[in-house]
Amino acid sequence: MNEAFRRVFGTYPDGVWAAPGRVNLIGEHTDYNDGFALPFAIPQTTLLAARRREDGRLRLHSAQVGGPVVDLAVADLVPGAFTTWAAYPAGVVWALGEAGHRIGGADLHFDSTVPTGAGLSSSAALECAVALAYDDLYGLDLGAPALALLAQRAENVFAGVPCGVMDQMASACCTTGAALYLDCRGTVHEQVPFAPEAQGLRLLAIDTRVKHDLGDGAYAALRAGCEQASAVLGVTALRDLSPGDLPRAARALPSHLLPLVRHVVTENARVAEAVSHLRADRIAALGPILTAGHASLRDDYRVSCAETDLAVDTAVGAGALGARITGGGFGGTVIALVDEDRAEAVGAAVTAGFRAAGYRAPQLFPISPAAGARRIE
Ligand code: GLA
């Protein structure tokens, strides 16, 4: 990274930071309903070489995007001004300034192994890398949850994506060998040890390469539907409902809102169940919970698609203990929990199933809980 930075900016960086993408084990579309989620960081990471500048310029370069350096004035940053990838890093700098922190410019060079549009939080990785680098470069000492909230604000207001806080919390706060039990009414979180390999299990990621785009309106419409349902039911957020409230919800809600509520309520219960299994070291017991979560996203929340359904059905049919789409949906990545001696067969079955259906070949890779955002040099 040091040499790459020098080639772009003609000098060496002050340091190098890393922030990972994430997989969510269970707890989907619950974060913006003040609910619960259970993500973990993946080895795929965004690296950021950065150098502080004293002239108020923010200069951005990405190894993946290439092209000329994007050169901006920190003082001129305004929400909505960018529609390119630069909105994410620039948004974090804007959010830090808006929150009253005394920050200035920087040269930032990114190099990332987090696939984009795959539901693995490439944008949160970018944002958290910038937040952490600025935290160090400007001596802010904000702490990971505060950085995650600023990164979320950048995405919500500056980039215009109305996401919850899960992805940024995962990238900022996760630790190796653990899943992050997250209460999204605030940023309360707990590291729950999660080491599938120790129990002869593997988690397989299946990137269907169907690109999703959270900015396209569908995500915002779902979020608005949840808020509307909360208002009708007289609760602050859907998190305040339990499965026992569903009959009342069925009577009170228009038919298009009830499935959204049913998903969120049952999904929060699935997170609680998953966490109790993890605490008792019963990782295999997660399998049916994952598959039930997928059915709920497919039938009630309706954010699955033919490719992700095929990946789940084929993986389970080939012996996976459970499988589900992960992330916002509308394509992206499926995760499957498999016995290590079935891993190859499950992967081969999914690849063959995609070929038979005439879909693009999926990208398969093993994942295990990796480190959250950190300084590496
Ligand atoms: C995206 C959003 C998150 C969360 C998930 C769905 O990843 O960025 O905030 O809402 O979708 O669980």
Side-chain angles (χ1 to χ4, degrees):
M1 285 301 281
N2 288 309
E3 281 310 320
F5 185 95
R6 195 186 56 78
R7 277 196 297 279
V8 176
F9 293 115
T11 167
Y12 284 103
D14 292 331
V16 180
W17 289 261
R22 65 94 191 93
V23 146
N24 189 16
L25 254 185
I26 192 77
E28 221 67 86
H29 291 277
T30 46
D31 60 353
Y32 53 82
N33 290 300
D34 283 4
F36 301 90
L38 195 59
F40 62 87
I42 55 175
Q44 286 74 8
T45 293
T46 294
L47 295 178
L48 165 59
R51 183 181 170 93
R52 178 173 160 154
R53 292 181 66 94
E54 304 304 332
D55 64 356
R57 305 298 307 175
L58 177 63
R59 301 198 299 168
L60 309 168
H61 186 263
S62 152
Q64 280 64 46
V65 180
V69 168
V70 179
D71 190 344
L72 312 163
V74 172
D76 293 345
L77 296 175
V78 280
F82 302 96
T83 52
T84 64
W85 71 278
Y88 297 101
V92 173
V93 177
W94 166 82
L96 284 162
E98 189 218 26
H101 300 297
R102 295 178 144 272
I103 47 99
D107 286 340
L108 308 179
H109 170 70
F110 299 91
D111 197 352
S112 182
T113 54
V114 188
T116 57
L120 299 174
S121 293
S122 58
S123 53
L126 205 59
E127 293 154 4
C128 290
V130 176
L132 191 62
Y134 258 76
D135 193 53
D136 283 347
L137 290 176
Y138 283 93
L140 305 176
D141 208 13
L142 293 176
L147 295 177
L149 285 171
L150 284 163
Q152 182 203 14
R153 182 152 178 80
E155 183 142 353
N156 288 173
V157 180
F158 203 87
V161 182
C163 64
V165 77
M166 169 177 64
D167 303 343
Q168 291 78 11
M169 279 297 289
S171 187
C173 301
C174 278
T175 54
T176 309
L180 189 76
Y181 180 29
L182 196 55
D183 179 348
C184 301
R185 176 162 275 169
T187 52
V188 179
H189 59 282
E190 179 193 328
Q191 311 287 346
V192 187
F194 176 50
E197 290 84 3
Q199 296 186 14
L201 299 171
R202 294 280 181 277
L203 267 169
L204 186 65
I206 304 162
D207 177 3
T208 63
R209 298 162 84 198
V210 177
K211 292 282 175 194
H212 83 157
D213 181 0
L214 289 186
D216 71 358
Y219 182 91
L222 289 163
R223 184 171 181 161
C226 290
E227 282 161 11
Q228 215 185 323
S230 302
V232 172
L233 296 169
V235 290
T236 305
L238 295 184
R239 178 281 181 52
D240 298 309
L241 301 172
S242 63
D245 293 313
L246 287 175
R248 174 173 79 88
R251 287 191 297 276
L253 289 172
S255 59
H256 70 289
L257 293 182
L258 178 62
L260 300 186
V261 174
R262 193 163 50 215
H263 167 73
V264 173
V265 169
T266 58
E267 187 79 347
N268 279 327
R270 280 186 285 274
V271 175
E273 208 190 332
V275 168
S276 65
H277 285 309
L278 283 193
R279 286 189 177 133
D281 233 4
R282 290 190 300 260
I283 296 181
L286 293 179
I289 301 175
L290 302 187
T291 309
H294 184 78
S296 182
L297 288 167
R298 180 191 62 212
D299 302 335
D300 275 346
Y301 223 70
R302 295 175 169 261
V303 292
S304 194
C305 65
E307 291 86 346
T308 46
D309 288 343
L310 181 68
V312 168
D313 293 346
T314 311
V316 172
L321 301 171
R324 63 182 287 273
I325 188 172
T326 190
F330 312 106
T333 299
V334 161
I335 53 167
L337 181 66
V338 293
D339 276 320
E340 61 188 0
D341 52 6
R342 293 296 301 161
E344 237 183 272
V346 167
V350 171
T351 302
F354 270 54
R355 194 180 316 115
Y359 298 153
R360 281 177 83 187
Q363 235 138 34
L364 308 180
F365 47 94
I367 37 170
S368 51
R374 65 218 178 270
R375 184 173 190 156
I376 56 172
E377 274 179 46

